Amino acid sequence: MLSAIYNMLWYPALPFALIAAHPANMRDYRERMGHGDFPDTAGTPRIWIHAASVGEVEAIRPVAIGLLEHHPGAIMTITTMTATGREAAMRRIPGATAWMLAPLDNRHAVRSFLERVQPNVVLITETEIWPNYFLESARAGATIAVVNGRISERSMRRYMRARGLFRDALGHATLILAQSHEDATRYAQFDLKAKIVVIGNTKLEVAKADATTEDPIRPGLLRFASGRKILIAGSTAPGEDAVVVDAYRELRKNFPQLALMIAPRHLDRTPEVENLLRAASLNFVKASELNSPDTVPDADVLILDTMGELRSFYRRGAIAFVGGSLAPGRGGQNPAEPALVDVPVLIGPYHENQHAMVSSLVTSGGARIVKNSGDVVSEASKWLADDAARQQAGRNAHASVSKGAGGAQLALKHLEALISLG
């Protein structure tokens, strides 16, 4: 009954959903409506992986690559909710067959997509519980799994308001691979028949230290980082840049050689960050301007206005502030990337999406909670004034996060059974 009402509501909502999706061109529009350039479906297995955006692509990457290695004839289609996510999937999972914007969760669009992709295995990542993705994939005969499954308390309250709809959707999943015991408990509240297994976070694969496994850092970015201690503000949300800039100006009084790098979560906010830095009388350079091999950056602040370079740049950081965490509503970005390269972490109090990881990091001494610019100054100063303590905090962060590694291999083990069924 609720699914019927949900689909009826899509009729008036579709034009507004298309506007909200911001299709930049005809390709984007066609993909949102379940059309586009689809892969040949002659191969097997045929796998559809859906990930929200860049972070989710990075998390599912080791699983996707593992599946492609185990099944060289696989036809893999990866969808994302954002164009930047689509670009990240193309760059980070090049062995896939197709990379597309996900169809809107309109029944007609999802059916159109499924008729063309013809998946026999569907992998939905993290929090992407779109009812028709589950309902229509099951109708098309696909086997469905949730990978890296996560449900925050806030999301759970929202799902419970339409419990029947989400129970029906998730009821079509055969397997749910949850990040934590708390997530598994929340999934269990839907009274599912699916097997629920806690595997940890698939993003926490500890990379080997040799250069062959690390993303290269562009020469221009290396020149900016050379000889500096850098405070990295990663994946910042609106309002957080101002907090970081205020803290940075104060920190410079005692640490005049300190540099700052700001990576806004959404690149269309770059002009906003530029205006903020101008108002603060800070000299800055944008990463997109550091293309010439002869360019020597004459600035103490870098705006990372390019895609795919934050992960590698974290290795050059002294301290990382992880954004999406100073105000309610976003739940905090993932602190694993700086932690895994021995960089101590500052994160705001609103990190419910990363609760288990942040709790472990704080307990280990690898992270500290900050609520405002004063806290950033206070906590960062302690680490900047004591290199040995800062480096130990970085090692603690690494050790804490590494304890949760191995999720990708566990996921692959469980997913092999689905591949044989699909």
Side-chain angles (χ1 to χ4, degrees), residues 74-298:
I75 300 296
M76 181 179 288
T77 300
I78 300 175
T79 60
T80 67
M81 287 298 181
T82 66
T84 52
R86 181 178 61 191
E87 293 166 11
M90 293 176 67
R91 185 178 63 256
R92 297 291 286 162
I93 313 175
T97 313
W99 312 264
M100 312 177 73
L101 289 181
L104 296 172
D105 199 41
N106 169 275
R107 183 166 57 185
H108 174 77
V110 175
R111 284 185 179 179
S112 178
F113 173 85
L114 290 168
E115 287 169 3
R116 289 163 171 80
V117 174
Q118 299 180 27
N120 43 30
V121 175
V122 174
L123 307 181
I124 306 294
T125 69
E126 304 210 16
T127 60
E128 292 294 282
I129 308 177
W130 295 99
N132 279 325
Y133 286 14
F134 289 82
L135 298 170
E136 295 302 324
S137 292
R139 176 180 172 274
T143 303
I144 306 167
V146 175
V147 183
N148 232 26
R150 174 170 58 84
I151 302 180
S152 68
E153 289 185 19
R154 180 171 174 266
S155 295
M156 193 66 185
R157 290 193 294 270
R158 184 171 68 249
Y159 292 147
M160 282 298 161
R161 289 197 287 268
R163 184 173 184 270
L165 174 63
F166 290 103
R167 182 186 59 212
D168 289 348
L170 286 168
H172 290 288
T174 300
L175 175 66
I176 294 176
L177 302 176
Q179 289 191 26
S180 71
H181 292 286
E182 291 83 358
D183 295 312
T185 299
R186 291 179 187 125
Y187 278 108
Q189 291 181 44
F190 291 101
D191 299 323
L192 306 176
K193 294 180 181 179
K195 181 179 181 181
I196 303 174
V197 182
V198 178
I199 63 165
N201 191 329
T202 61
K203 193 173 186 178
L204 305 186
E205 297 306 297
V206 182
K208 295 179 182 178
D210 63 292
T212 60
T213 62
E214 294 287 0
D215 292 339
I217 301 176
R218 280 194 292 126
L221 296 184
L222 277 176
R223 281 191 294 276
F224 176 86
S226 179
R228 301 175 186 253
K229 288 182 180 176
I230 306 173
L231 170 63
I232 297 178
S235 301
T236 57
E240 292 180 331
D241 311 290
V243 171
V244 171
V245 167
D246 285 348
Y248 174 69
R249 294 177 69 191
E250 190 65 25
L251 285 165
R252 284 278 294 254
K253 295 176 182 177
N254 291 322
F255 307 98
Q257 302 306 312
L258 183 67
L260 171 67
M261 191 272 271
I262 298 178
R265 179 78 174 99
H266 298 291
L267 297 187
D268 58 5
R269 290 186 50 249
T270 298
E272 175 186 331
V273 177
E274 291 182 68
N275 290 336
L276 175 66
L277 293 170
R278 289 191 188 100
S281 300
L282 290 171
N283 192 18
F284 65 89
V285 64
K286 294 188 291 185
S288 59
E289 298 170 344
L290 299 178
N291 293 320
S292 170
D294 300 321
T295 301
V296 178
D298 182 22

Side-chain angles (χ1 to χ4, degrees), residues 317-379:
I319 300 169
F321 165 77
V322 178
S325 60
L326 286 179
R330 296 181 181 272
Q333 298 303 130
N334 195 320
E337 288 182 350
L340 283 174
V341 289
D342 294 8
V343 176
V345 172
L346 302 175
I347 191 167
Y350 299 98
H351 53 259
E352 59 271 17
N353 290 349
Q354 318 294 338
H355 177 72
M357 187 186 302
V358 172
S359 294
S360 177
L361 282 167
V362 171
T363 300
S364 75
R368 292 169 180 169
I369 307 300
V370 293
K371 299 177 181 178
N372 49 47
S373 61
D375 286 352
V376 174
V377 173
S378 175
E379 300 298 345

